[in-house]
């Protein structure tokens, strides 16, 4: 079961200077990574030309999801968002508390293209 069961509360880590990306697992088909954001930190705007990327918010009440084309959508704990191949996405913690979400992307290898806002 050690490769099937993950205690996400034990994997979180934070850094006051930069957002933290923690790889939860990677298989031949999918990749899961957890992002841990302090207030004001963000995951840069990007897209994956070859992969879906589902973000599931685990902790935090004030996230701002960048949906591309200048669109920003508030998200919080309990919400999930999907970026299909080629759709831009990013995230900023706009609250006063920590923000944690997990992203599951497939297929691997996941190609990432960084974009400007």
């Amino acid at each position: 079961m050690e490769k099937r069961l993950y205690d996400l509360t034990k994997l979180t880590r934070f850094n006051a200077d930069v957002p933290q990306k923690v790889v939860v697992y990677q298989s031949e088909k999918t990749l899961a990574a957890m992002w841990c954001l302090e207030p004001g930190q963000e995951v840069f705007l990007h897209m994956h030309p070859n992969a879906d990327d589902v973000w599931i918010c685990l902790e935090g009440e004030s996230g701002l999801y960048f949906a591309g084309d200048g669109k920003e959508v508030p998200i919080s704990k309990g919400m999930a968002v999907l970026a299909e191949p080629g759709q831009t996405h990013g995230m900023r913690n706009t609250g006063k508390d920590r923000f944690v979400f997990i992203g599951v992307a497939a297929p691997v290898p996941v190609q990432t293209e960084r974009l400007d806002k």
Side-chain angles (χ1 to χ4, degrees):
M1 287 298 290
E2 67 187 48
K3 290 188 177 183
R4 295 179 59 188
L5 183 63
Y6 304 90
D7 185 347
L8 300 177
T9 61
K10 293 181 179 177
L11 296 177
T12 57
R13 70 172 185 245
F14 293 89
N15 181 305
D17 298 321
V18 293
Q20 296 296 292
K21 180 181 180 181
V22 180
V23 174
V24 176
Y25 78 88
Q26 182 169 349
S27 72
E28 292 180 9
K29 297 180 181 183
T30 61
L31 167 68
M34 182 168 44
W35 285 92
C36 305
L37 308 177
E38 293 283 7
Q41 291 180 339
E42 68 179 52
V43 175
F44 57 88
L45 188 65
H46 63 284
M47 66 102 162
H48 308 291
N50 71 320
D52 286 338
D53 195 1
V54 179
W55 288 1
I56 304 158
C57 301
L58 304 174
E59 178 183 333
E61 298 302 325
S62 299
L64 197 57
Y65 180 79
F66 308 139
D69 298 325
K71 296 177 188 165
E72 298 178 339
V73 180
I75 65 167
S76 59
K77 177 181 172 181
M79 297 177 75
V81 289
L82 164 66
E84 294 179 341
Q87 291 182 325
T88 59
H89 55 292
M91 174 77 69
R92 178 182 305 123
N93 180 357
T94 58
K96 295 179 181 177
D97 297 316
R98 291 175 163 173
F99 200 91
V100 178
F101 66 93
I102 191 165
V104 180
V108 294
V110 176
Q111 300 168 3
T112 301
E113 294 182 17
R114 189 175 183 138
L115 306 168
D116 294 324
K117 284 190 200 177

